[in-house]
Every structure is written in C-alpha cells, then in structure tokens.
Amino acid sequence: MSREVLATGLQRLGLSLSETQVTQLLDYLALLQKWNKVYNLTAVRDPAEMLTHHLLDSLAAIPPLLRQTAGEPIRLLDVGSGGGLPGVVIAIVCPQIDVSCVDTVGKKAAFIQQAAATLRLPNLHGVHARVETLKAEQGGGFDVVCSRAFASLADFTNWSRSALRSGGVWMAMKGKHPEDELAALPADVAVFHVEQLQVPGLDAERCIIWMRPLAG
C-alpha cells in the first residue's frame, strides 16, 4: 500500500525515480519507525501519517531545490534535521547533492549515519554538533543550508550563517506564510523568493522561504 501511495505522490510532484530510489525511501521510513520506538526522532508515529507528513512533505521540496541549484552537484546542510527530514530524502533522490545533517542530539546524528550505511548513501553524513560551530573554511562551506520546522527565520539564519559559503542560500521549509518571522529578519538577510508547496495527500499550507545574506 505504501508503495502505491508513494508512487502516486511522486507522480503528482512530477518526480521520476528509479525503483531503487523508491525502495530506499520506503526502507528509510521503516528504519525511522524502528528507531523511533526507542529514540524520540519524530512525534508522528502512525506509518500512513509518516508517509504524507514526513516523506511526501520533504519530497515536495525537491523540485524547487533542483530549480534553484540547476541540478548541479552541491553541498547541502540540513540543520536540526532530527530523523533526517528533509536531508535523507534529498540524499536519496539527488545523488549529486552531498548532504550533511547536523543535530545537537548524538542519537539523532547516529541515526543519520546508520541510515547512510543501511541505505548505501555515500553522499549522506550525520554530524553531531551545534550548527553555530560549523564554519565555512577557505573554499568550503555549504551552497544551501536548509531547515524544516526548525526555528524562527531570524534564529535559523543567525545560527547557520557561518556555515554558508560565499554565494550560498538558505532554504527554510515552513507551514503557513510566516509574516511575523519575515518581519523580524535582520536587515542583512534578503528574502528573494517565497514558494508555495502542494503536498500530495496533505491538506495543509506549506511554503519555502529562500534567503541570502547581504554583503556587509
């Protein structure tokens, strides 16, 4: 049943995946359910709800991400990713994107490492750290720093700014259009696009806030 629901959702999102990738997504969901019984990775526990609220919700961000990055190989940092949403999903669907999922909770970072090994994803890495400690070293840094229901836009951009490479952008996945959060952004953060998302099977508002730092 899950495969059919996922296949329908992928079709509605315009995503064409291989059978291997579809299997990896379902195996990831099973792994998340298994670990969730012991470690609190996500509040959503119903398998059917996990498919729409987590998997399809994260998949809805893939087409906008691919448009923004023109399908190029990039480095992406998923901040406060918990159980790996959307980071693991991005790593499965976009093998050209090198994904690091950072979380302050060691068990959550360990889960990402386990997912990378189980699902055979060499482009996926779990990082146990505070995002504020990640620095864009000479020639390093991340092209895209993303988050999903993580923190206010002001805190997200402030805490993760040092991880962005020159020319990099922020991708914040939100529910309703966050008017108050947008108004509270500092003057040196520019919002260049607000993108509405339609998540198959989910009757709720979703959007992506695209931002970049302004040169000081």
Side-chain angles (χ1 to χ4, degrees):
M1 185 62 182
S2 295
R3 187 174 283 267
E4 285 78 20
V5 174
L6 180 55
T8 302
L10 288 168
Q11 190 174 19
R12 285 179 61 188
L13 290 169
L15 290 170
S16 179
L17 303 189
S18 68
E19 279 300 311
T20 300
Q21 287 172 310
V22 171
T23 299
Q24 284 175 317
L25 286 170
L26 293 171
D27 286 350
Y28 162 60
L29 204 60
L31 195 65
L32 187 61
Q33 288 163 11
K34 181 181 172 184
W35 274 59
N36 211 36
K37 289 173 183 171
V38 183
Y39 307 109
N40 189 27
L41 298 176
T42 166
V44 178
R45 296 183 180 277
D46 176 64
E49 208 176 326
M50 274 182 150
L51 188 60
T52 52
H53 285 64
H54 286 337
L55 218 52
L56 290 171
D57 189 70
S58 295
L59 284 163
I62 301 286
L65 175 62
L66 291 176
R67 282 195 295 271
Q68 177 61 35
T69 60
E72 294 290 320
I74 61 157
R75 296 186 71 218
L76 179 141
L77 179 68
D78 183 10
V79 179
S81 73
L85 298 150
V88 175
V89 175
I90 293 170
I92 290 170
V93 178
C94 309
Q96 77 278 14
I97 297 181
D98 190 80
V99 178
S100 292
C101 297
V102 62
D103 205 287
T104 55
V105 180
K107 291 295 180 191
K108 292 181 178 179
F111 170 72
I112 301 301
Q113 290 291 77
Q114 182 62 52
T118 303
L119 304 172
R120 294 183 174 84
L121 295 169
N123 61 326
L124 177 65
H125 322 281
V127 181
H128 178 211
R130 297 186 69 84
V131 66
E132 303 96 306
T133 65
L134 301 181
K135 307 294 181 192
E137 304 299 342
Q138 192 72 31
F142 294 88
D143 303 281
V144 176
V145 176
C146 80
S147 70
R148 177 177 174 268
F150 166 63
S152 71
L153 294 175
D155 284 344
F156 167 52
T157 52
N158 180 41
W159 294 338
S160 63
R161 182 184 288 262
S162 63
L164 263 187
R165 73 159 181 82
S166 176
V169 298
W170 285 292
M171 168 186 161
M173 296 176 66
K174 291 285 182 178
K176 289 183 180 178
H177 193 272
E179 300 282 357
D180 294 346
E181 290 184 35
L182 287 164
L185 276 171
D188 60 355
V189 174
V191 176
F192 65 89
H193 189 34
V194 177
E195 197 158 359
Q196 298 300 318
L197 298 180
Q198 292 292 325
V199 180
L202 191 60
D203 184 23
E205 290 183 62
R206 292 287 188 271
C207 67
I208 293 177
I209 313 295
W210 293 98
M211 301 164 285
R212 62 168 59 98
L214 295 175

